[in-house]
Amino acid sequence: MASRWMVLGHHQARGQEGWEALAQGIEDMVTGISSSVETERGLAARLRYLTTSDAGYEAMDRAGIHVAPKTLMAWLAEEATPNRANRARLDAAYWDLRRQNVAADLKRRLNNDGRGTRIEVNGVDQSAVERRHQRDLPPRSVNVRGIWDRAVDAWLTEDEHELDALWDEILTDHFGSDRDKYSKVSSIGWSA
């Protein structure tokens, strides 16, 4: 979406595209194993999670983990440790599967039985911008409905165009003449 923020850092304003903040907000809702894949506990937990379903094996395949069954069994039995590259791939596969598994729950929570989710939008950070170049960008709080299924699907597939279209829809529906001011933001937050 075009806006007056075409060159965001021209006057030292800091922020990101609204659609990026929207995707980051969804990403932040995904929780999982807190132990690092570099620890025995974290590695074992990821391997268990990935090997209990066909979807887990598909996630490992997408992540580029192509090892013999004997090797995978040795990893599971903690008789062998994957090399650094395979640990990174296991971590990527784990988070890929985790995102897939929580998508339905994210949609349910964000749709909130049709009531939607109230989001707070914070305009770009202008703390380093000279006073004469600053714009009035108070935080805005709006209730967003009807887009969350599409937003979660776009986040899952990393569809930047759809996320941008959804952010444009939010701006059009809720920000009126201020929509241009919030095309780029410092953050978006919600509690869902």
Side-chain angles (χ1 to χ4, degrees), residues 26-52:
I26 296 171
E27 180 73 24
D28 290 345
M29 293 178 72
V30 179
T31 59
I33 299 167
S34 59
S35 300
S36 166
V37 71
E38 299 299 326
T39 66
E40 285 182 33
R41 179 181 177 159
L43 177 60
R46 282 166 179 77
L47 284 167
R48 278 192 307 276
Y49 190 78
L50 290 166
T51 57
T52 57

Side-chain angles (χ1 to χ4, degrees), residues 5-173:
W5 291 115
M6 293 296 272
V7 183
L8 180 63
H10 182 69
H11 293 292
Q12 278 62 51
R14 292 184 302 268
Q16 62 186 324
E17 297 287 340
W19 68 265
E20 292 173 316
L22 182 65
Q24 186 61 51
I26 296 171
E27 180 73 24
D28 290 345
M29 293 178 72
V30 179
T31 59
I33 299 167
S34 59
S35 300
S36 166
V37 71
E38 299 299 326
T39 66
E40 285 182 33
R41 179 181 177 159
L43 177 60
R46 282 166 179 77
L47 284 167
R48 278 192 307 276
Y49 190 78
L50 290 166
T51 57
T52 57
S53 69
D54 289 340
Y57 286 100
E58 291 167 10
M60 286 192 290
D61 188 53
R62 283 192 302 273
I65 299 169
H66 306 291
V67 296
K70 182 174 128 179
T71 302
L72 185 57
M73 293 307 290
W75 290 353
L76 284 164
E78 297 181 8
E79 295 168 356
T81 304
N83 64 28
R84 181 172 298 213
N86 278 332
R87 287 192 306 269
R89 289 182 190 110
L90 284 167
D91 192 51
Y94 167 76
W95 286 107
D96 174 35
L97 181 59
R98 190 75 187 123
R99 285 180 190 94
Q100 297 291 330
N101 287 344
V102 301
D105 182 58
L106 293 177
K107 290 176 183 180
R108 182 189 55 74
R109 289 168 54 192
L110 291 166
N111 283 317
N112 194 20
D113 293 327
R115 292 188 299 268
T117 296
R118 189 155 209 71
I119 67 172
E120 181 172 298
V121 180
N122 298 299
V124 298
D125 177 3
Q126 300 181 87
S127 59
V129 177
E130 287 182 45
R131 184 78 191 130
R132 65 190 176 113
H133 294 296
Q134 288 184 6
R135 298 165 69 183
D136 184 30
L137 297 173
R140 296 281 300 267
S141 183
V142 297
N143 196 53
V144 177
R145 293 186 195 114
I147 62 122
W148 294 113
D149 286 354
R150 289 173 39 215
V152 171
D153 289 342
W155 161 78
L156 267 176
T157 59
E158 298 179 8
D159 185 343
E160 297 175 4
H161 297 294
E162 177 69 359
L163 287 164
D164 188 36
L166 289 166
W167 184 246
D168 200 29
E169 194 175 310
I170 291 169
L171 290 175
T172 300
D173 292 348

